[in-house]
PDB file of all heavy atoms in Angstrom:
ATOM      1  N   SER A1469      90.455 132.874  96.713  1.00 96.00           N
ATOM      2  CA  SER A1469      90.256 131.851  95.678  1.00 96.00           C
ATOM      3  C   SER A1469      91.270 132.124  94.575  1.00 96.00           C
ATOM      4  O   SER A1469      91.009 132.885  93.645  1.00 96.00           O
ATOM      5  CB  SER A1469      88.823 131.916  95.129  1.00 96.00           C
ATOM      6  OG  SER A1469      88.649 130.951  94.103  1.00 96.00           O
ATOM      7  N   PRO A1470      92.473 131.549  94.684  1.00 96.00           N
ATOM      8  CA  PRO A1470      93.562 131.905  93.762  1.00 96.00           C
ATOM      9  C   PRO A1470      93.225 131.593  92.304  1.00 96.00           C
ATOM     10  O   PRO A1470      92.716 130.507  91.988  1.00 96.00           O
ATOM     11  CB  PRO A1470      94.733 131.044  94.247  1.00 96.00           C
ATOM     12  CG  PRO A1470      94.390 130.653  95.650  1.00 96.00           C
ATOM     13  CD  PRO A1470      92.904 130.540  95.682  1.00 96.00           C
ATOM     14  N   GLU A1471      93.493 132.543  91.441  1.00 94.00           N
ATOM     15  CA  GLU A1471      93.272 132.343  90.013  1.00 94.00           C
ATOM     16  C   GLU A1471      94.312 131.381  89.444  1.00 94.00           C
ATOM     17  O   GLU A1471      95.401 131.223  89.975  1.00 94.00           O
ATOM     18  CB  GLU A1471      93.380 133.685  89.274  1.00 94.00           C
ATOM     19  CG  GLU A1471      92.245 134.646  89.569  1.00 94.00           C
ATOM     20  CD  GLU A1471      92.409 135.959  88.834  1.00 94.00           C
ATOM     21  OE1 GLU A1471      93.560 136.401  88.657  1.00 94.00           O
ATOM     22  OE2 GLU A1471      91.380 136.535  88.452  1.00 94.00           O
ATOM     23  N   GLY A1472      93.937 130.740  88.337  1.00 92.00           N
ATOM     24  CA  GLY A1472      94.904 129.958  87.575  1.00 92.00           C
ATOM     25  C   GLY A1472      95.050 128.514  87.973  1.00 92.00           C
ATOM     26  O   GLY A1472      95.787 127.761  87.318  1.00 92.00           O
ATOM     27  N   LEU A1473      94.378 128.065  89.025  1.00 96.00           N
ATOM     28  CA  LEU A1473      94.479 126.658  89.423  1.00 96.00           C
ATOM     29  C   LEU A1473      93.603 125.779  88.532  1.00 96.00           C
ATOM     30  O   LEU A1473      92.499 126.184  88.154  1.00 96.00           O
ATOM     31  CB  LEU A1473      94.055 126.483  90.881  1.00 96.00           C
ATOM     32  CG  LEU A1473      95.011 127.017  91.953  1.00 96.00           C
ATOM     33  CD1 LEU A1473      94.353 126.937  93.322  1.00 96.00           C
ATOM     34  CD2 LEU A1473      96.310 126.225  91.952  1.00 96.00           C
ATOM     35  N   PRO A1474      94.061 124.575  88.192  1.00 96.00           N
ATOM     36  CA  PRO A1474      93.191 123.649  87.454  1.00 96.00           C
ATOM     37  C   PRO A1474      92.088 123.124  88.356  1.00 96.00           C
ATOM     38  O   PRO A1474      92.139 123.268  89.584  1.00 96.00           O
ATOM     39  CB  PRO A1474      94.151 122.527  87.038  1.00 96.00           C
ATOM     40  CG  PRO A1474      95.263 122.581  88.023  1.00 96.00           C
ATOM     41  CD  PRO A1474      95.393 124.010  88.452  1.00 96.00           C
ATOM     42  N   GLU A1475      91.052 122.494  87.766  1.00 94.00           N
ATOM     43  CA  GLU A1475      89.983 121.895  88.572  1.00 94.00           C
ATOM     44  C   GLU A1475      90.536 120.716  89.369  1.00 94.00           C
ATOM     45  O   GLU A1475      91.541 120.098  88.969  1.00 94.00           O
ATOM     46  CB  GLU A1475      88.817 121.470  87.682  1.00 94.00           C
ATOM     47  CG  GLU A1475      88.056 122.646  87.106  1.00 94.00           C
ATOM     48  CD  GLU A1475      86.626 122.283  86.717  1.00 94.00           C
ATOM     49  OE1 GLU A1475      86.247 121.099  86.836  1.00 94.00           O
ATOM     50  OE2 GLU A1475      85.887 123.193  86.313  1.00 94.00           O
ATOM     51  N   PRO A1476      89.899 120.367  90.481  1.00 94.00           N
ATOM     52  CA  PRO A1476      90.460 119.340  91.385  1.00 94.00           C
ATOM     53  C   PRO A1476      90.690 117.976  90.750  1.00 94.00           C
ATOM     54  O   PRO A1476      91.565 117.234  91.205  1.00 94.00           O
ATOM     55  CB  PRO A1476      89.416 119.257  92.504  1.00 94.00           C
ATOM     56  CG  PRO A1476      88.779 120.593  92.513  1.00 94.00           C
ATOM     57  CD  PRO A1476      88.730 121.024  91.075  1.00 94.00           C
ATOM     58  N   ASN A1477      89.924 117.608  89.732  1.00 92.00           N
ATOM     59  CA  ASN A1477      90.118 116.296  89.111  1.00 92.00           C
ATOM     60  C   ASN A1477      91.192 116.312  88.027  1.00 92.00           C
ATOM     61  O   ASN A1477      91.497 115.267  87.446  1.00 92.00           O
ATOM     62  CB  ASN A1477      88.803 115.797  88.518  1.00 92.00           C
ATOM     63  CG  ASN A1477      87.796 115.438  89.595  1.00 92.00           C
ATOM     64  OD1 ASN A1477      88.181 115.048  90.702  1.00 92.00           O
ATOM     65  ND2 ASN A1477      86.519 115.572  89.303  1.00 92.00           N
ATOM     66  N   ASP A1478      91.742 117.472  87.731  1.00 94.00           N
ATOM     67  CA  ASP A1478      92.807 117.577  86.727  1.00 94.00           C
ATOM     68  C   ASP A1478      94.081 116.927  87.263  1.00 94.00           C
ATOM     69  O   ASP A1478      94.425 117.104  88.437  1.00 94.00           O
ATOM     70  CB  ASP A1478      93.057 119.056  86.414  1.00 94.00           C
ATOM     71  CG  ASP A1478      94.018 119.248  85.249  1.00 94.00           C
ATOM     72  OD1 ASP A1478      95.219 118.968  85.420  1.00 94.00           O
ATOM     73  OD2 ASP A1478      93.550 119.673  84.175  1.00 94.00           O
ATOM     74  N   PRO A1479      94.813 116.176  86.431  1.00 94.00           N
ATOM     75  CA  PRO A1479      96.043 115.519  86.912  1.00 94.00           C
ATOM     76  C   PRO A1479      97.071 116.490  87.480  1.00 94.00           C
ATOM     77  O   PRO A1479      97.904 116.111  88.304  1.00 94.00           O
ATOM     78  CB  PRO A1479      96.586 114.828  85.652  1.00 94.00           C
ATOM     79  CG  PRO A1479      95.392 114.641  84.768  1.00 94.00           C
ATOM     80  CD  PRO A1479      94.494 115.807  85.032  1.00 94.00           C
ATOM     81  N   GLY A1480      97.029 117.754  87.055  1.00 95.00           N
ATOM     82  CA  GLY A1480      98.010 118.706  87.541  1.00 95.00           C
ATOM     83  C   GLY A1480      97.578 119.471  88.773  1.00 95.00           C
ATOM     84  O   GLY A1480      98.304 120.369  89.239  1.00 95.00           O
ATOM     85  N   PHE A1481      96.401 119.116  89.347  1.00 96.00           N
ATOM     86  CA  PHE A1481      95.881 119.899  90.467  1.00 96.00           C
ATOM     87  C   PHE A1481      96.786 119.852  91.692  1.00 96.00           C
ATOM     88  O   PHE A1481      97.087 120.887  92.293  1.00 96.00           O
ATOM     89  CB  PHE A1481      94.474 119.426  90.845  1.00 96.00           C
ATOM     90  CG  PHE A1481      93.938 120.066  92.095  1.00 96.00           C
ATOM     91  CD1 PHE A1481      93.510 121.379  92.090  1.00 96.00           C
ATOM     92  CD2 PHE A1481      93.880 119.364  93.298  1.00 96.00           C
ATOM     93  CE1 PHE A1481      93.030 121.997  93.240  1.00 96.00           C
ATOM     94  CE2 PHE A1481      93.398 119.956  94.454  1.00 96.00           C
ATOM     95  CZ  PHE A1481      92.973 121.276  94.418  1.00 96.00           C
ATOM     96  N   VAL A1482      97.206 118.669  92.102  1.00 96.00           N
ATOM     97  CA  VAL A1482      97.981 118.552  93.339  1.00 96.00           C
ATOM     98  C   VAL A1482      99.263 119.364  93.255  1.00 96.00           C
ATOM     99  O   VAL A1482      99.618 120.096  94.188  1.00 96.00           O
ATOM    100  CB  VAL A1482      98.276 117.073  93.663  1.00 96.00           C
ATOM    101  CG1 VAL A1482      99.302 116.962  94.791  1.00 96.00           C
ATOM    102  CG2 VAL A1482      96.996 116.350  94.071  1.00 96.00           C
ATOM    103  N   ARG A1483      99.969 119.285  92.129  1.00 96.00           N
ATOM    104  CA  ARG A1483     101.220 120.043  91.991  1.00 96.00           C
ATOM    105  C   ARG A1483     100.952 121.546  92.068  1.00 96.00           C
ATOM    106  O   ARG A1483     101.638 122.268  92.801  1.00 96.00           O
ATOM    107  CB  ARG A1483     101.889 119.692  90.659  1.00 96.00           C
ATOM    108  CG  ARG A1483     103.192 120.463  90.418  1.00 96.00           C
ATOM    109  CD  ARG A1483     103.720 120.208  89.021  1.00 96.00           C
ATOM    110  NE  ARG A1483     102.742 120.580  88.009  1.00 96.00           N
ATOM    111  CZ  ARG A1483     102.489 121.828  87.639  1.00 96.00           C
ATOM    112  NH1 ARG A1483     103.128 122.844  88.216  1.00 96.00           N
ATOM    113  NH2 ARG A1483     101.596 122.081  86.702  1.00 96.00           N
ATOM    114  N   ALA A1484      99.940 122.021  91.323  1.00 97.00           N
ATOM    115  CA  ALA A1484      99.648 123.457  91.322  1.00 97.00           C
ATOM    116  C   ALA A1484      99.143 123.918  92.686  1.00 97.00           C
ATOM    117  O   ALA A1484      99.516 125.005  93.167  1.00 97.00           O
ATOM    118  CB  ALA A1484      98.619 123.760  90.237  1.00 97.00           C
ATOM    119  N   ALA A1485      98.281 123.105  93.315  1.00 97.00           N
ATOM    120  CA  ALA A1485      97.752 123.475  94.626  1.00 97.00           C
ATOM    121  C   ALA A1485      98.854 123.515  95.672  1.00 97.00           C
ATOM    122  O   ALA A1485      98.853 124.369  96.573  1.00 97.00           O
ATOM    123  CB  ALA A1485      96.659 122.497  95.044  1.00 97.00           C
ATOM    124  N   ALA A1486      99.827 122.602  95.568  1.00 97.00           N
ATOM    125  CA  ALA A1486     100.948 122.600  96.513  1.00 97.00           C
ATOM    126  C   ALA A1486     101.747 123.899  96.404  1.00 97.00           C
ATOM    127  O   ALA A1486     102.217 124.443  97.423  1.00 97.00           O
ATOM    128  CB  ALA A1486     101.847 121.393  96.269  1.00 97.00           C
ATOM    129  N   GLU A1487     101.906 124.424  95.187  1.00 97.00           N
ATOM    130  CA  GLU A1487     102.600 125.703  95.013  1.00 97.00           C
ATOM    131  C   GLU A1487     101.812 126.831  95.668  1.00 97.00           C
ATOM    132  O   GLU A1487     102.386 127.751  96.262  1.00 97.00           O
ATOM    133  CB  GLU A1487     102.828 125.984  93.528  1.00 97.00           C
ATOM    134  CG  GLU A1487     103.871 125.087  92.882  1.00 97.00           C
ATOM    135  CD  GLU A1487     105.206 125.160  93.603  1.00 97.00           C
ATOM    136  OE1 GLU A1487     105.684 126.289  93.874  1.00 97.00           O
ATOM    137  OE2 GLU A1487     105.768 124.087  93.929  1.00 97.00           O
ATOM    138  N   SER A1488     100.471 126.782  95.552  1.00 97.00           N
ATOM    139  CA  SER A1488      99.645 127.792  96.218  1.00 97.00           C
ATOM    140  C   SER A1488      99.781 127.701  97.727  1.00 97.00           C
ATOM    141  O   SER A1488      99.804 128.719  98.430  1.00 97.00           O
ATOM    142  CB  SER A1488      98.178 127.622  95.808  1.00 97.00           C
ATOM    143  OG  SER A1488      97.976 128.012  94.465  1.00 97.00           O
ATOM    144  N   ILE A1489      99.858 126.477  98.262  1.00 97.00           N
ATOM    145  CA  ILE A1489     100.036 126.294  99.703  1.00 97.00           C
ATOM    146  C   ILE A1489     101.346 126.939 100.151  1.00 97.00           C
ATOM    147  O   ILE A1489     101.398 127.641 101.167  1.00 97.00           O
ATOM    148  CB  ILE A1489     100.000 124.794 100.068  1.00 97.00           C
ATOM    149  CG1 ILE A1489      98.584 124.223  99.851  1.00 97.00           C
ATOM    150  CG2 ILE A1489     100.447 124.577 101.513  1.00 97.00           C
ATOM    151  CD1 ILE A1489      98.506 122.716  99.974  1.00 97.00           C
ATOM    152  N   ARG A1490     102.401 126.739  99.367  1.00 97.00           N
ATOM    153  CA  ARG A1490     103.697 127.343  99.692  1.00 97.00           C
ATOM    154  C   ARG A1490     103.584 128.868  99.727  1.00 97.00           C
ATOM    155  O   ARG A1490     104.060 129.530 100.660  1.00 97.00           O
ATOM    156  CB  ARG A1490     104.745 126.930  98.669  1.00 97.00           C
ATOM    157  CG  ARG A1490     105.208 125.494  98.790  1.00 97.00           C
ATOM    158  CD  ARG A1490     106.234 125.157  97.711  1.00 97.00           C
ATOM    159  NE  ARG A1490     106.840 123.873  97.984  1.00 97.00           N
ATOM    160  CZ  ARG A1490     107.853 123.678  98.822  1.00 97.00           C
ATOM    161  NH1 ARG A1490     108.363 124.719  99.467  1.00 97.00           N
ATOM    162  NH2 ARG A1490     108.352 122.485  99.020  1.00 97.00           N
ATOM    163  N   ALA A1491     102.943 129.424  98.691  1.00 97.00           N
ATOM    164  CA  ALA A1491     102.855 130.882  98.600  1.00 97.00           C
ATOM    165  C   ALA A1491     101.991 131.468  99.710  1.00 97.00           C
ATOM    166  O   ALA A1491     102.313 132.510 100.288  1.00 97.00           O
ATOM    167  CB  ALA A1491     102.297 131.264  97.229  1.00 97.00           C
ATOM    168  N   LEU A1492     100.884 130.808 100.015  1.00 97.00           N
ATOM    169  CA  LEU A1492      99.963 131.317 101.033  1.00 97.00           C
ATOM    170  C   LEU A1492     100.557 131.221 102.434  1.00 97.00           C
ATOM    171  O   LEU A1492     100.402 132.142 103.251  1.00 97.00           O
ATOM    172  CB  LEU A1492      98.636 130.555 100.960  1.00 97.00           C
ATOM    173  CG  LEU A1492      97.750 130.892  99.753  1.00 97.00           C
ATOM    174  CD1 LEU A1492      96.715 129.802  99.524  1.00 97.00           C
ATOM    175  CD2 LEU A1492      97.064 132.251  99.948  1.00 97.00           C
ATOM    176  N   THR A1493     101.233 130.120 102.742  1.00 97.00           N
ATOM    177  CA  THR A1493     101.827 129.995 104.077  1.00 97.00           C
ATOM    178  C   THR A1493     102.955 130.992 104.274  1.00 97.00           C
ATOM    179  O   THR A1493     103.233 131.410 105.402  1.00 97.00           O
ATOM    180  CB  THR A1493     102.340 128.564 104.333  1.00 97.00           C
ATOM    181  OG1 THR A1493     103.233 128.174 103.275  1.00 97.00           O
ATOM    182  CG2 THR A1493     101.191 127.575 104.406  1.00 97.00           C
ATOM    183  N   ALA A1494     103.582 131.416 103.178  1.00 97.00           N
ATOM    184  CA  ALA A1494     104.612 132.445 103.288  1.00 97.00           C
ATOM    185  C   ALA A1494     104.010 133.790 103.707  1.00 97.00           C
ATOM    186  O   ALA A1494     104.661 134.594 104.374  1.00 97.00           O
ATOM    187  CB  ALA A1494     105.356 132.593 101.957  1.00 97.00           C
ATOM    188  N   VAL A1495     102.749 134.028 103.348  1.00 97.00           N
ATOM    189  CA  VAL A1495     102.074 135.281 103.702  1.00 97.00           C
ATOM    190  C   VAL A1495     101.910 135.387 105.215  1.00 97.00           C
ATOM    191  O   VAL A1495     102.170 136.433 105.827  1.00 97.00           O
ATOM    192  CB  VAL A1495     100.702 135.383 103.007  1.00 97.00           C
ATOM    193  CG1 VAL A1495      99.900 136.568 103.553  1.00 97.00           C
ATOM    194  CG2 VAL A1495     100.876 135.508 101.500  1.00 97.00           C
ATOM    195  N   THR A1496     101.487 134.305 105.854  1.00 96.00           N
ATOM    196  CA  THR A1496     101.181 134.342 107.295  1.00 96.00           C
ATOM    197  C   THR A1496     102.303 133.776 108.151  1.00 96.00           C
ATOM    198  O   THR A1496     102.156 133.692 109.377  1.00 96.00           O
ATOM    199  CB  THR A1496      99.886 133.550 107.582  1.00 96.00           C
ATOM    200  OG1 THR A1496     100.048 132.202 107.101  1.00 96.00           O
ATOM    201  CG2 THR A1496      98.695 134.194 106.908  1.00 96.00           C
ATOM    202  N   GLY A1497     103.417 133.365 107.521  1.00 96.00           N
ATOM    203  CA  GLY A1497     104.501 132.776 108.316  1.00 96.00           C
ATOM    204  C   GLY A1497     104.113 131.437 108.904  1.00 96.00           C
ATOM    205  O   GLY A1497     104.350 131.177 110.088  1.00 96.00           O
ATOM    206  N   GLY A1498     103.507 130.585 108.064  1.00 95.00           N
ATOM    207  CA  GLY A1498     102.989 129.309 108.578  1.00 95.00           C
ATOM    208  C   GLY A1498     101.671 129.544 109.281  1.00 95.00           C
ATOM    209  O   GLY A1498     100.775 130.176 108.732  1.00 95.00           O
ATOM    210  N   ARG A1499     101.528 128.985 110.501  1.00 97.00           N
ATOM    211  CA  ARG A1499     100.322 129.172 111.313  1.00 97.00           C
ATOM    212  C   ARG A1499      99.071 128.773 110.532  1.00 97.00           C
ATOM    213  O   ARG A1499      98.067 129.480 110.529  1.00 97.00           O
ATOM    214  CB  ARG A1499     100.211 130.626 111.777  1.00 97.00           C
ATOM    215  CG  ARG A1499     101.392 131.116 112.604  1.00 97.00           C
ATOM    216  CD  ARG A1499     101.194 132.565 113.037  1.00 97.00           C
ATOM    217  NE  ARG A1499     102.265 132.988 113.913  1.00 97.00           N
ATOM    218  CZ  ARG A1499     103.405 133.540 113.501  1.00 97.00           C
ATOM    219  NH1 ARG A1499     103.603 133.735 112.211  1.00 97.00           N
ATOM    220  NH2 ARG A1499     104.336 133.902 114.364  1.00 97.00           N
ATOM    221  N   ALA A1500      99.153 127.622 109.869  1.00 97.00           N
ATOM    222  CA  ALA A1500      98.089 127.256 108.927  1.00 97.00           C
ATOM    223  C   ALA A1500      97.598 125.831 109.135  1.00 97.00           C
ATOM    224  O   ALA A1500      98.372 124.925 109.457  1.00 97.00           O
ATOM    225  CB  ALA A1500      98.594 127.413 107.497  1.00 97.00           C
ATOM    226  N   PHE A1501      96.290 125.649 108.943  1.00 97.00           N
ATOM    227  CA  PHE A1501      95.681 124.337 108.740  1.00 97.00           C
ATOM    228  C   PHE A1501      95.509 124.145 107.234  1.00 97.00           C
ATOM    229  O   PHE A1501      95.008 125.052 106.553  1.00 97.00           O
ATOM    230  CB  PHE A1501      94.290 124.264 109.369  1.00 97.00           C
ATOM    231  CG  PHE A1501      94.256 123.984 110.846  1.00 97.00           C
ATOM    232  CD1 PHE A1501      95.417 123.821 111.589  1.00 97.00           C
ATOM    233  CD2 PHE A1501      93.030 123.872 111.499  1.00 97.00           C
ATOM    234  CE1 PHE A1501      95.359 123.569 112.956  1.00 97.00           C
ATOM    235  CE2 PHE A1501      92.962 123.618 112.856  1.00 97.00           C
ATOM    236  CZ  PHE A1501      94.125 123.464 113.587  1.00 97.00           C
ATOM    237  N   VAL A1502      95.894 122.991 106.729  1.00 97.00           N
ATOM    238  CA  VAL A1502      95.551 122.605 105.362  1.00 97.00           C
ATOM    239  C   VAL A1502      94.543 121.466 105.490  1.00 97.00           C
ATOM    240  O   VAL A1502      94.902 120.333 105.816  1.00 97.00           O
ATOM    241  CB  VAL A1502      96.790 122.163 104.559  1.00 97.00           C
ATOM    242  CG1 VAL A1502      96.382 121.786 103.127  1.00 97.00           C
ATOM    243  CG2 VAL A1502      97.836 123.274 104.531  1.00 97.00           C
TER     244      VAL A1502
END
């Protein structure tokens, strides 16, 4: 549960969550369901 993300209804959620997706997929080398 990554710290620092805004709540889902916040206008900035999608942008911040997309950055988390980038960082997390780098950990496992892809191989991910979103």
Side-chain angles (χ1 to χ4, degrees):
S1469 178
E1471 291 179 326
L1473 288 172
E1475 290 203 357
N1477 290 331
D1478 188 289
F1481 173 74
V1482 169
R1483 179 187 58 77
E1487 289 304 312
S1488 289
I1489 292 171
R1490 287 179 170 277
L1492 287 162
T1493 54
V1495 171
T1496 57
R1499 301 181 175 90
F1501 278 1
V1502 181

